Amino acid sequence: MRRLRRLSRRLFLCFLSDEFVMTKNKYVMKWFSIALWSLGMSSGAYASSSNATQCPSSDFVEFVKAFSSEPEVQKAFIAPSVKHVHVTADGKIPKVVERSLNAIDADELKVLLPENAAAANLIIQIKVPNRVIVRDEAGHFLKIFVFKRGDCWVLNRVEDWTLDAVMNEITQSEKLTPGELELKKGVIFDRLVNKASSESGVYLYVAELDSYLDGARKGSAQAALAAAGISLSGQAPRLENSRILELLLQASESVPDAGLTLADFYCDEGEYDEKRGCINPKESIATLERAANLGSTNALIRLGEVYELGTVVDADLPHAMACYLEVQKADLETGTASIERLATRGVVRDNSIQCIKAGSFR
């Protein structure tokens, strides 16, 4: 290595001489290139370049367009040390690993080129002030490229949140039902939000929603409920009301307590802050009754509260008492407390009244 360095320096000094330029150029330049190659100055990775490449643009969007399509711009505007984040499996637990790299593999930047992204069914989102997000719409791929502004923009951080390989390792010994893998992946995305910056966490929530939706398409009722829930929470993008309704109907067919969320949605359509009456009381009550018939004690409790408080239909205390009596059979403490509360208001048991009347709202 020392001999190569001495050789490269001697050749460089010769390069300055007229004699070298006049008589030795083609031979020495050949050996000069070999020396540089031997010193590791030529590779398939892009590192920070010391050349005087002009900054393509002070506008981030325009800069990214040039950076994604021009290899020379990529070489010139990568930070000397790039933080690289990825997720690995530590047994059954996903682990976030961060390390510093002196170079970025050129292949890792290929997804920034629009035609490459399109061929892989990926979406490129340029987010001012300094991020480029590359993802799919099923939770299979998520990379975030972060730039820092100095005299020009430089790539100084790459976050790879893709989980498919991690999920395969974590679940390799499990027998999963259709959509369960995607449900588990969504839960892991949710947990990883705490390991990411607030700016990157936004896109982990998007990937979480995409994973749940993928699971719902594959038949998972729990994934359907999770997708509707995170969409209504405001953490992930809000789906259309018609899509949320589809998801909740799918979930409520086999997850009894999903009926409570569906009943609420019939009343408020997810607009929790709106002070208004129930939009569709008939469907709301019918949904609670179906959930109760599927075995949801929580649905029985909610029915009692609805008739006690008059939040969905007019208050009907004897009807509320009938529901709490049914609750008492499954949840003694809650049912008894509710019955005693109504008794202090003078409500007595009436065996002729049933909580769920035959054909009442169904």
Side-chain angles (χ1 to χ4, degrees), residues 10 34 37 87 120 132 136 144 163 173 180 190 210 212 224 265 272 277 288 307 310 321 334 338 351 355:
R10 286 199 299 271
I34 294 173
W37 178 84
V87 185
V132 181
D136 71 340
I144 301 174
L163 291 182
S173 62
E180 189 177 358
D190 188 79
D210 287 342
Y212 292 148
F265 189 74
Y272 309 118
L288 290 174
Y307 289 119
M321 176 66 83
T334 301
S338 300
N351 291 331
C355 178

Coordinates of all heavy atoms in Angstrom, one line a residue, residues 10 34 37 87 120 132 136 144 163 173 180 190 210 212 224 265 272 277 288 307 310 321 334 338 351 355:
R10 N 4.5 10.1 -7.0 CA 5.5 10.4 -8.0 C 4.9 10.7 -9.4 O 5.2 11.6 -10.1 CB 6.5 9.2 -8.1 CG 7.5 9.1 -6.9 CD 8.7 8.3 -7.3 NE 8.3 6.9 -7.7 CZ 8.2 5.9 -6.8 NH1 8.4 6.2 -5.5 NH2 7.8 4.7 -7.1
I34 N -4.3 2.7 -12.4 CA -4.2 1.4 -11.7 C -3.9 1.7 -10.3 O -4.4 1.0 -9.4 CB -3.1 0.5 -12.3 CG1 -3.5 0.1 -13.8 CG2 -2.8 -0.7 -11.5 CD1 -2.4 -0.6 -14.5
W37 N -7.0 2.9 -8.5 CA -8.0 1.7 -8.4 C -7.5 0.8 -7.2 O -8.3 0.4 -6.4 CB -8.0 0.9 -9.7 CG -8.9 -0.3 -9.6 CD1 -10.2 -0.3 -9.8 CD2 -8.5 -1.6 -9.3 NE1 -10.7 -1.6 -9.6 CE2 -9.7 -2.4 -9.3 CE3 -7.3 -2.2 -9.0 CZ2 -9.6 -3.8 -9.0 CZ3 -7.2 -3.6 -8.8 CH2 -8.4 -4.3 -8.8
V87 N -33.9 -2.4 10.1 CA -34.5 -3.3 11.1 C -34.1 -4.7 10.9 O -34.1 -5.2 9.8 CB -36.1 -3.2 11.1 CG1 -36.7 -4.0 12.3 CG2 -36.5 -1.7 11.2
A120 N -41.3 -1.1 -10.1 CA -41.4 -2.0 -8.8 C -42.7 -1.6 -8.1 O -42.8 -2.1 -6.9 CB -40.2 -1.7 -7.9
V132 N -37.2 12.4 1.2 CA -37.8 11.7 0.1 C -38.3 10.3 0.6 O -37.5 9.6 1.2 CB -36.8 11.5 -1.1 CG1 -37.5 10.8 -2.2 CG2 -36.3 12.9 -1.5
D136 N -44.4 1.3 -1.1 CA -45.5 0.7 -1.8 C -46.8 1.0 -1.1 O -46.8 1.8 -0.1 CB -45.2 -0.8 -2.0 CG -45.4 -1.6 -0.8 OD1 -45.3 -1.0 0.3 OD2 -45.6 -2.8 -0.9
I144 N -36.7 5.9 3.6 CA -36.8 7.4 3.7 C -35.3 7.9 3.6 O -34.4 7.5 4.3 CB -37.3 7.8 5.1 CG1 -38.7 7.2 5.3 CG2 -37.3 9.3 5.3 CD1 -39.3 7.4 6.7
L163 N -39.9 -4.5 6.3 CA -40.0 -5.5 7.3 C -40.2 -6.9 6.8 O -40.3 -7.8 7.7 CB -41.2 -5.2 8.3 CG -41.0 -3.9 9.2 CD1 -42.2 -3.8 10.1 CD2 -39.8 -4.0 10.0
S173 N -41.7 -20.1 12.5 CA -42.2 -21.4 13.2 C -43.7 -21.3 13.5 O -44.2 -22.2 14.1 CB -41.4 -21.6 14.5 OG -41.6 -20.5 15.4
E180 N -53.0 -12.8 8.8 CA -52.4 -12.6 10.2 C -51.0 -12.0 10.1 O -50.6 -11.3 11.0 CB -52.5 -13.9 10.9 CG -52.1 -13.8 12.4 CD -52.2 -15.2 13.1 OE1 -52.6 -16.2 12.5 OE2 -51.9 -15.2 14.3
D190 N -46.3 -0.1 14.3 CA -46.8 0.8 15.3 C -45.8 1.0 16.4 O -45.6 2.1 17.0 CB -48.1 0.3 15.9 CG -48.8 1.2 16.8 OD1 -49.5 2.2 16.4 OD2 -48.7 1.0 18.1
D210 N -51.4 0.5 5.7 CA -51.3 -0.3 4.5 C -51.2 -1.8 4.8 O -51.8 -2.6 4.1 CB -50.1 0.2 3.7 CG -50.3 1.5 3.0 OD1 -51.4 1.9 2.9 OD2 -49.3 2.1 2.6
Y212 N -52.4 -3.3 7.5 CA -53.7 -3.8 8.0 C -54.7 -3.9 6.8 O -55.4 -4.9 6.7 CB -54.3 -2.8 9.0 CG -53.6 -2.7 10.3 CD1 -53.5 -1.5 11.0 CD2 -53.0 -3.8 10.9 CE1 -52.9 -1.4 12.2 CE2 -52.3 -3.7 12.1 CZ -52.3 -2.5 12.8 OH -51.7 -2.4 14.0
A224 N -59.0 -5.9 9.6 CA -60.0 -4.9 9.1 C -60.3 -3.9 10.2 O -60.4 -2.7 10.0 CB -61.2 -5.6 8.6
F265 N -69.8 4.4 14.8 CA -69.6 5.0 13.5 C -71.0 5.3 12.8 O -71.1 6.3 12.1 CB -68.8 4.1 12.6 CG -68.4 4.7 11.3 CD1 -67.3 5.6 11.3 CD2 -69.0 4.4 10.1 CE1 -66.9 6.2 10.1 CE2 -68.6 4.9 8.9 CZ -67.6 5.9 8.9
Y272 N -65.9 12.8 16.1 CA -66.1 12.7 17.6 C -66.5 14.1 18.2 O -67.1 14.2 19.2 CB -64.9 12.1 18.3 CG -64.5 10.8 17.7 CD1 -63.2 10.7 17.1 CD2 -65.3 9.7 17.6 CE1 -62.8 9.5 16.6 CE2 -64.9 8.5 17.1 CZ -63.6 8.4 16.6 OH -63.2 7.2 16.0
G277 N -77.0 14.9 17.2 CA -77.6 13.6 17.5 C -77.1 12.5 16.6 O -76.4 12.7 15.7
L288 N -75.5 -3.1 17.8 CA -75.3 -3.5 19.2 C -76.0 -4.8 19.6 O -75.4 -5.6 20.3 CB -75.7 -2.4 20.2 CG -74.8 -1.1 20.2 CD1 -75.4 0.0 21.0 CD2 -73.4 -1.4 20.6
Y307 N -80.0 3.2 26.6 CA -81.3 3.3 27.1 C -81.4 4.1 28.4 O -82.4 4.8 28.7 CB -82.0 2.0 27.3 CG -82.3 1.3 26.0 CD1 -81.8 0.0 25.7 CD2 -83.2 1.9 25.1 CE1 -82.0 -0.6 24.5 CE2 -83.5 1.2 23.9 CZ -82.9 0.0 23.6 OH -83.2 -0.6 22.4
G310 N -80.1 7.9 27.0 CA -80.8 8.5 25.8 C -79.9 9.1 24.8 O -80.3 10.1 24.2
M321 N -82.7 -1.3 32.6 CA -82.6 -2.3 33.6 C -82.6 -3.7 33.1 O -81.8 -4.6 33.5 CB -83.8 -2.1 34.6 CG -83.9 -3.2 35.7 SD -82.6 -3.1 36.9 CE -83.2 -1.8 38.0
T334 N -70.1 -5.5 37.2 CA -70.6 -4.3 36.4 C -72.1 -4.3 36.4 O -72.8 -3.3 36.5 CB -70.1 -4.4 35.0 OG1 -68.6 -4.4 35.0 CG2 -70.6 -3.3 34.1
S338 N -74.7 -1.4 38.0 CA -75.6 -0.7 37.2 C -77.0 -0.9 37.6 O -77.8 0.1 37.6 CB -75.5 -1.2 35.7 OG -74.2 -1.0 35.2
N351 N -90.1 -8.2 34.3 CA -89.7 -9.4 33.6 C -90.4 -9.4 32.2 O -90.0 -10.2 31.3 CB -90.1 -10.6 34.4 CG -89.3 -10.8 35.6 OD1 -88.1 -10.4 35.6 ND2 -89.8 -11.4 36.6
C355 N -84.2 -7.1 27.0 CA -83.1 -6.1 26.5 C -83.2 -6.1 25.0 O -83.2 -5.1 24.3 CB -81.8 -6.5 27.0 SG -80.4 -5.5 26.4

